[in-house]
Structures are given as structure tokens and as C-alpha cells.
Amino acid sequence: MTAVRLRARSGTALLLVSLAGLAAFCWPLFVTPGARIGQSAFAPWMFVLLLPLLLAVALAEVAEGGIDAKAIALLGVLGAVGAALRPLGTNVAGFEPMFFVLVYGGRVLGRGFGYLLGSVAMFASALITAGVGPWLPYQILGAAWVGFFAGCLPRRPRGRAEIAMLAVYGAVAAFLYGWLQNLGSWPFVGGMSSSISFHPGAPLADNLGRFVAYSFATSLGFDVPRAIFTAILVTVTGRPVLLALRRAARRAAFEAPADGRGD
């Protein structure tokens, strides 16, 4: 069962946004030697360009009829739940309880819904916590990808095997989310030793090595607890949440795709 069908226009919009997001995360690794980059000049452009692109995905789905009023209502409910949960872990070492909502939303309702859910939940939580800033597009993209790829997992497992698969995915996705956020900010962080700082124009392998060292030195204490906490939440809440979401999807009677696989 899928709540949001990715058709040609919306799928193209999602692909373009994702490619733009990858470019936004990775472009400093490919700048010319000696280039001077600064977040004060770059971040406002990222904010102005990426947020409209993220909205374009939702608008394309609405325009193509890939999302109806029932899906929008469910998106609003789950987005509000995710937004309300996120502040509970603010400033606590990596304990961010919203990610299991994205995992289950994408798993049950499809990858298109998962993408929108991650975007909506992260944007709404930023408004609640006054967390709007140059980091927000990176956070929205990271959360959107968590929900999207949850919808890409194999459909076959059920029962304990399914919950175990989702717990592993939740841990890996929550961990990689933290590293993505590091990649978005690391080139602009000053005052670090040269062994972990970004060197514009350095060979890609060298900068990637410094990035890994930087992530281990600065964020491992957040990334590992986030991964463990997400896996625990997925495991503990798995059965009731899956049953509730699947019951809601059946009652809403979302149109199933022709090949029987979730979008």
C-alpha cells in the first residue's frame, strides 16, 4: 500500500532535488587549490535555492494527482508527531526520537510518502525549536532521504524479521544522517588541527580521510547514541506502530500501484 505515488513529474523533481542536495553536501571536496570558501557567503544561497526545490517535489505530486486529501491528512499527523518528538532530544547526546517515525512512515506508506514526511517533520520541528538557519536545508534533505530509503527496503519480511530489518536500517540511517550533517558544515569550521581540517583543493582521498577523522573526533558521541536509540525505539514500538499504520492505510484505501510494490 502506498500513500504517495511517484509519477514522472514528481519523480523527476525528487531526482533533481536529490542531485542538488548531493552537490550541496559534496562540492567543497572538488574546489580548486587555494580557493577561499566561507559559510557566510555560501549558506544563504543554499537556503534560498534548496527550500523551493524541496517544495517543488510536493507541488509536483499534488499537480499529478499522486497525493490526495487523505494522504495529506496522514502526512500532517505523522509530520506533527515527528516534529513534536524531535525537541525531546534537544541537547541530549544523540537521543533524537523522531527518526523511528520516518522509518515506519516510509516503510508502510511508500518511499514518496517517506520523502515528504522527512521534509515536513524536519521543517516543522525547526519552526517549533527556532532552529531555522543555514543548516536547515541539509537537515531536511537528510531526514527526507531517511524516509525515502525506508520505503525502498524489501517488502517480503514480516513479523520479527521485518522489525529486525527496520531496526538495523534505522540505526544505519540515523548514523549516516549525522555524518551527512558533518559533511555540510565541516568545510566551514575553523580553529581545528590540520589533521582533521578541510584543505581546499587537496586530493579527494586526503580530504575524505580528514573528514572521517573529524567525524570520529567531534560527533561519534552523538552519532552512536542516535543510532542505538533509534534501533531500540524501532524494536520496542515495532508491532503496534506497524499495525496502526497499516490499518490506517487500509481504511484510507490508498490506490495500490499496478505491480503491487510500494513507491
Side-chain angles (χ1 to χ4, degrees), residues 59-115:
L59 293 176
E61 287 168 348
V62 172
E64 287 192 310
I67 181 170
D68 59 15
K70 293 175 291 185
I72 291 174
L74 190 54
L75 179 65
V77 171
L78 292 180
V81 170
L85 286 174
R86 186 169 179 243
L88 298 180
T90 302
N91 294 326
V92 179
F95 294 99
E96 298 183 49
M98 73 172 292
F99 286 95
F100 86 103
V101 177
L102 309 184
V103 171
Y104 281 124
R107 171 63 176 173
V108 175
L109 299 164
R111 56 183 183 245
F113 187 93
Y115 188 94

Side-chain angles (χ1 to χ4, degrees), residues 218-238:
T218 62
S219 71
L220 199 63
F222 292 87
D223 298 331
V224 171
R226 184 192 303 110
I228 294 173
F229 190 58
T230 300
I232 291 173
L233 274 178
V234 169
T235 302
V236 170
T237 64

Side-chain angles (χ1 to χ4, degrees), residues 103 153 161-175 227 230-231 234-235:
V103 171
L153 294 172
E162 180 182 26
I163 294 174
M165 178 185 70
L166 294 177
V168 171
Y169 170 78
V172 172
F175 186 88
T230 300
V234 169
T235 302

Side-chain angles (χ1 to χ4, degrees), residues 6 16 28 55 57 92 123 133 140 161 167 199 206 208 218 237 248 252 262-263:
L6 291 178
L16 291 176
L55 287 175
V57 177
V92 179
F123 184 73
I140 291 176
H199 290 189
D206 290 351
L208 286 178
T218 62
T237 64
D263 283 328

Side-chain angles (χ1 to χ4, degrees), residues 13-244:
L14 191 151
L15 176 62
L16 291 176
V17 172
S18 295
L19 290 176
L22 284 175
F25 278 111
C26 299
W27 73 269
L29 298 175
F30 302 97
V31 298
T32 57
R36 300 187 62 179
I37 61 174
Q39 193 172 32
S40 60
F42 175 71
W45 286 106
M46 281 297 305
F47 196 89
V48 168
L49 291 175
L50 279 182
L51 283 183
L53 286 175
L54 288 164
L55 287 175
V57 177
L59 293 176
E61 287 168 348
V62 172
E64 287 192 310
I67 181 170
D68 59 15
K70 293 175 291 185
I72 291 174
L74 190 54
L75 179 65
V77 171
L78 292 180
V81 170
L85 286 174
R86 186 169 179 243
L88 298 180
T90 302
N91 294 326
V92 179
F95 294 99
E96 298 183 49
M98 73 172 292
F99 286 95
F100 86 103
V101 177
L102 309 184
V103 171
Y104 281 124
R107 171 63 176 173
V108 175
L109 299 164
R111 56 183 183 245
F113 187 93
Y115 188 94
L116 289 179
L117 177 59
S119 302
V120 169
M122 188 59 71
F123 184 73
S125 71
L127 297 179
I128 292 173
T129 61
V132 178
W135 53 84
L136 182 56
Y138 297 105
Q139 292 176 337
I140 291 176
L141 280 167
W145 287 336
V146 170
F148 177 84
F149 286 110
C152 297
L153 294 172
R155 311 305 297 178
R156 179 72 62 180
R158 285 293 187 269
R160 293 182 179 178
E162 180 182 26
I163 294 174
M165 178 185 70
L166 294 177
V168 171
Y169 170 78
V172 172
F175 186 88
L176 292 180
Y177 170 87
W179 279 46
L180 273 177
Q181 303 313 307
N182 290 344
L183 186 58
S185 61
W186 167 65
F188 310 106
V189 178
M192 299 184 296
S193 68
S194 61
S195 62
I196 63 173
S197 62
F198 172 68
H199 290 189
L204 178 60
D206 290 351
N207 266 333
L208 286 178
R210 294 187 185 96
F211 169 70
V212 171
Y214 167 81
S215 295
F216 273 106
T218 62
S219 71
L220 199 63
F222 292 87
D223 298 331
V224 171
R226 184 192 303 110
I228 294 173
F229 190 58
T230 300
I232 291 173
L233 274 178
V234 169
T235 302
V236 170
T237 64
R239 181 175 174 80
V241 173
L242 283 172
L243 287 174

